[in-house]
């Protein structure tokens, strides 16, 4: 896939791999062996191809249309079209092998490497990176969502969106659709993370309805939290009052029980004393 055989051949390689690893068209031991070989030997290499073909954070976004992979001494260059096909294959794997690829993503921080495509000058590669993140989030996987928040993985997406400005294009539409999906699916950790981390950057885009709705969803979460907190205060007071009433009742019972025990003791003493009177010729011994 990463060798330049011509654009038509690249598309054929992509389709061949899709067929070989498709859980619907292939079945049985052959498919399992192919998937095992791909994940053990080739997945990390394809991810590294993307990472090494993209400029670093300190570099400018005006990179050439092709990049050297991993300092290859032969000057082997990766065309943007090849990077696009690799990213499409990774999106395919996320959908068809969610649990297998999730382990790789969580252990090797592959998502961050793939998102380096947002630093490329070719807009279609930046859009591909947004589509990849959209595919990740669409899984609604708790572990992946927590991973995105922990490592601030939406930052390159938001940075690319802000840099794009008000230009109406696929990048703008892709990011707005991503935020709309997060809101509609009620992915609370991501709503809170995006709003609290990027509210200043997104402020100048509040004329978009999806940004306004996203902000409203965050405010609803805050109001819901406040209502729960205020509701818990009377409950605590009621519990405290209930404990106070229980304490009073307990003290009242203990006091009455003490009086009752005292009376019983006195009656017992009197009974014992009368018995002593009969035995000791009327002599009463009282304590």
């Amino acid at each position: 896939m990463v060798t330049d055989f011509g654009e038509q051949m690249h598309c054929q390689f992509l389709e061949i791999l899709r067929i070989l690893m498709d859980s619907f068209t292939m079945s049985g031991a052959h498919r399992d062996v192919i998937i095992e070989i791909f994940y053990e030997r080739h997945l990390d290499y394809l991810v590294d191809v993307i990472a090494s073909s993209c400029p670093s954070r300190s570099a400018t976004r005006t990179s050439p249309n092709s990049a050297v992979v991993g300092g290859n001494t032969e000057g082997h260059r990766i065309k943007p079209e090849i990077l696009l096909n690799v990213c499409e294959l990774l999106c395919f794997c996320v959908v068809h092998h969610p649990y297998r690829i999730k382990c790789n993503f969580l252990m090797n921080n592959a998502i961050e490497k793939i998102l380096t495509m947002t630093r490329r000058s070719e807009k279609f590669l930046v859009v591909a990176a947004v589509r990849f993140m959209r595919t990740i989030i669409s899984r609604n996987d708790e572990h992946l969502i927590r991973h995105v928040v922990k490592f601030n993985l939406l930052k390159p997406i938001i940075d690319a969106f802000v840099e794009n400005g008000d230009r109406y294009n696929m990048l703008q539409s892709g990011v707005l659709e991503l935020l709309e999906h997060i809101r509609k699916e009620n992915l609370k950790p991501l709503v809170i993370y995006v709003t609290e981390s990027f509210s200043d950057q997104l402020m100048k885009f509040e004329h978009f309805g999806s940004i306004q709705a996203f902000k409203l969803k965050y405010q609803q979460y805050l109001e819901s939290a406040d209502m729960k907190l205020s509701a818990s205060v009377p409950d605590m007071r009621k519990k405290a009052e209930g404990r106070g009433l229980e304490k009073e009742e307990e003290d009242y019972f203990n006091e009455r029980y003490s009086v009752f025990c005292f009376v019983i003791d006195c009656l017992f003493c009197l009974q014992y004393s009368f018995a002593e009177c009969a035995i000791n010729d009327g002599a009463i011994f009282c304590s």
Side-chain angles (χ1 to χ4, degrees):
M1 284 193 70
V2 300
T3 304
D4 187 7
F5 289 109
E7 185 175 349
Q8 294 300 323
M9 290 297 293
H10 295 152
C11 295
Q12 291 182 27
F13 293 146
L14 175 61
E15 289 305 316
I16 289 171
L17 286 172
R18 279 175 170 170
I19 293 172
L20 291 174
M21 297 193 295
D22 192 340
S23 57
F24 298 105
T25 59
M26 294 285 289
S27 61
H30 289 92
R31 186 205 62 179
D32 296 338
V33 170
I34 292 171
I35 292 176
E36 189 76 19
I37 292 173
F38 175 78
Y39 280 98
E40 286 190 359
R41 302 183 187 178
H42 304 298
L43 176 62
D44 291 339
Y45 172 71
L46 291 178
V47 172
D48 289 337
V49 164
I50 292 179
S52 59
S53 301
C54 299
S56 61
R57 288 190 179 92
S58 58
T60 61
R61 293 178 60 84
T62 57
S63 59
N65 288 335
S66 58
V68 179
V69 177
N72 193 321
T73 56
E74 298 179 357
H76 181 64
R77 293 178 178 273
I78 302 298
K79 286 187 174 181
E81 293 78 14
I82 296 178
L83 297 178
L84 178 63
N85 286 335
V86 172
C87 186
E88 290 295 328
L89 180 61
L90 295 176
C91 289
F92 173 87
C93 293
V94 170
V95 174
H96 288 266
H97 318 133
Y99 298 105
R100 184 66 184 267
I101 202 167
K102 179 177 75 171
C103 297
N104 183 279
F105 285 171
L106 295 179
M107 294 176 61
N108 300 329
N109 205 20
I111 298 177
E112 183 177 6
K113 295 179 181 179
I114 297 168
L115 291 178
T116 56
M117 285 200 304
T118 58
R119 305 173 195 157
R120 295 281 301 206
S121 60
E122 302 88 357
K123 290 299 181 184
F124 67 89
L125 289 181
V126 182
V127 173
V130 175
R131 187 164 59 250
F132 170 77
M133 178 55 73
R134 171 68 169 79
T135 306
I136 290 289
I137 292 177
S138 67
R139 304 308 304 171
N140 288 3
D141 187 280
E142 178 185 354
H143 298 95
L144 287 175
I145 289 175
R146 208 161 40 225
H147 184 77
V148 169
V149 174
K150 180 179 179 180
F151 293 97
N152 196 20
L153 295 182
L154 281 179
K155 185 180 188 305
I157 302 293
I158 300 299
D159 289 344
F161 176 74
V162 173
E163 184 177 340
N164 183 69
D166 286 328
R167 287 188 289 274
Y168 179 70
N169 50 27
M170 291 294 294
L171 173 58
Q172 183 186 90
S173 300
V175 176
L176 291 177
E177 195 278 331
L178 172 63
L179 296 177
E180 187 70 5
H181 172 79
I182 293 173
R183 182 187 69 84
K184 285 184 176 180
E185 292 298 317
N186 201 29
L187 302 178
K188 185 175 180 179
L190 290 178
V191 172
I192 295 175
Y193 155 61
V194 170
T195 306
E196 294 183 351
S197 300
F198 310 110
S199 58
D200 293 339
Q201 292 174 268
L202 297 175
M203 187 178 300
K204 62 180 181 180
F205 298 100
E206 289 185 352
H207 55 280
F208 291 117
S210 54
I211 299 294
Q212 295 177 6
F214 198 89
K215 184 178 180 180
L216 178 61
K217 174 65 73 172
Y218 174 75
Q219 292 173 347
Q220 290 174 350
Y221 288 147
L222 294 184
E223 291 173 359
S224 176
D226 291 340
M227 290 178 62
K228 289 181 180 179
L229 181 62
S230 60
S232 65
V233 173
D235 291 341
M236 293 175 63
R237 290 176 178 172
K238 288 180 180 179
K239 290 180 180 179
E241 292 174 356
R243 286 195 297 269
L245 292 174
E246 292 174 0
K247 184 68 166 57
E248 292 178 0
E249 293 174 355
E250 184 179 351
D251 293 341
Y252 177 84
F253 175 79
N254 290 336
E255 181 180 352
R256 296 298 182 273
Y257 182 74
S258 299
V259 172
F260 174 76
C261 291
F262 176 75
V263 172
I264 293 298
D265 289 341
C266 290
L267 291 176
F268 178 78
C269 289
L270 288 173
Q271 183 181 5
Y272 178 78
S273 299
F274 286 131
E276 285 293 317
C277 290
I279 295 173
N280 299 316
D281 298 327
I284 299 176
F285 298 94
C286 296
S287 59

